[in-house]
Amino acid sequence: MLACSRCGLHATRTQAVPGTGPCPADVMVVGEAPGFNEDVQGKPFVGAAGKLLDKLLERIGRGRDTVYITNVLKCRPPQNRDPMRMLPGVGSISRVHGQIFMRGGVAFMPVYHPAAALHNGSLVRDLEQDFDRVRGYLDEVLKPPEPEPLAEPDPEPSAEQLSLLN
Ligand code: URA
């Protein structure tokens, strides 16, 4: 990926920004595309939006070291244009944020971009509530399985059954 030149974005990037975090990971954050700071540092979400993302991750009991963070685009688009989204056709973000969509056995939850909340403070509450839902979902799917109920003990053999053994 670092050497990829399969689309025009390679010509204007400083470097590709593949992602950071453990692989495999049970939680993955996927942003839009690297911005100015990410393009310079080669890491995702290192600017102001990244600070808000860190706080949101704290809400689900996670640090960056336990979450894989990446972007749909790996190279900074020169005019900051929108990339293609991961869930085409599900609807506008204002309608679908906070909902879980299952695709190929993976649970996807669209949330507002942290940078949008930096511009419009009323979205912070929506983001916090959506991350609380992520936490609820993770608590549910990662909880250890219930132990199997103990088998009923066999009833005592009847006198008739015992007589068959003789
Ligand atoms: N916005 C994004 O979508 N991704 C980043 O890595 C930083 C800001």
Side-chain angles (χ1 to χ4, degrees):
M1 192 187 300
L2 295 176
C4 177
S5 59
R6 288 170 63 188
C7 82
L9 295 181
H10 81 278
T12 49
R13 73 182 178 215
T14 305
Q15 58 192 313
V17 183
T20 54
C23 184
D26 55 6
V27 178
M28 186 171 177
V29 173
V30 186
E32 280 191 359
F36 176 83
N37 294 302
E38 291 75 23
D39 176 67
V40 170
Q41 295 187 38
K43 293 186 189 140
F45 283 97
V46 290
K51 294 212 165 57
L52 178 53
L53 176 62
D54 287 340
K55 285 203 188 127
L56 292 164
L57 289 175
E58 272 174 31
R59 284 185 93 78
I60 62 168
R62 299 294 183 119
R64 281 193 180 226
D65 53 335
T66 69
V67 174
Y68 194 80
I69 303 178
T70 189
N71 284 293
V72 174
L73 299 187
K74 310 304 177 201
C75 299
R76 181 179 187 226
Q79 268 91 42
N80 223 11
R81 63 163 190 253
D82 282 349
M84 303 286 287
R85 297 292 193 271
M86 297 185 71
L87 295 169
V90 296
S92 66
I93 187 69
S94 58
R95 208 167 54 79
V96 302
H97 73 87
Q99 294 178 39
I100 289 180
F101 296 85
M102 295 304 296
R103 296 283 188 276
V106 175
F108 289 84
M109 181 188 287
V111 297
Y112 284 114
H113 195 292
L118 294 178
H119 292 293
N120 176 357
S122 71
L123 299 182
V124 171
R125 192 69 204 117
D126 286 310
L127 266 169
E128 289 174 348
Q129 283 172 349
D130 292 350
F131 271 72
D132 288 348
R133 285 197 192 128
V134 172
R135 181 169 206 144
Y137 178 80
L138 290 173
D139 286 349
E140 191 55 36
V141 296
L142 298 179
K143 77 170 182 234
E146 294 282 323
E148 292 283 322
L150 290 176
E152 288 286 317
D154 288 337
E156 288 293 317
S158 65
E160 190 187 350
Q161 285 171 322
L162 285 174
S163 72
L164 292 174
L165 296 175
N166 295 322

